[in-house]
Amino acid sequence: MSNFPDNKTLGDRAYALIGVLIPSCTAGLRLVELGQQRPLKLHERLALVYNSPLCLHCSCKRDKFNKERAKLREIEMKRRS
């Protein structure tokens, strides 16, 4: 155990839990970019499908996500052939 106290508040922990449960732009874009670099593993593919709706309360990165996802689909088609 470390000698430093845990500085996370109850609110920090609650927001971290909500961030795991609700699809987010950050996770979706990260997975799309990772998929462009290398083939995604099964759990990463499932996470990408889950995070595809992005943030449900806004569409802040929708255009960028759609463009990057199209690039990912092209790369995957080249990998298969």
Side-chain angles (χ1 to χ4, degrees):
M1 299 207 71
S2 108
N3 294 333
F4 299 106
D6 188 10
N7 291 334
K8 291 185 178 179
T9 64
L10 182 60
D12 292 338
R13 292 179 185 174
Y15 286 122
L17 179 64
I18 290 170
V20 170
L21 298 176
I22 297 174
S24 71
C25 296
T26 305
L29 281 173
R30 183 182 54 80
L31 287 168
V32 168
E33 291 170 354
L34 182 64
Q36 292 175 358
Q37 297 170 7
R38 64 165 176 81
L40 293 175
K41 297 176 184 172
L42 179 60
H43 71 276
E44 293 169 335
R45 287 185 176 276
L46 292 173
L48 178 59
V49 169
Y50 177 76
N51 286 298
S52 291
L54 303 179
C55 295
L56 300 176
H57 59 279
C58 69
S59 60
C60 56
K61 297 181 182 177
R62 174 73 55 194
D63 292 333
K64 182 176 180 181
F65 179 80
N66 290 337
K67 289 176 186 175
E68 295 298 320
R69 186 97 189 251
K71 288 180 190 176
L72 174 62
R73 288 183 178 141
E74 290 176 13
I75 291 170
E76 286 180 342
M77 287 178 59
K78 290 178 184 176
R79 287 179 187 156
R80 290 181 189 156
S81 59

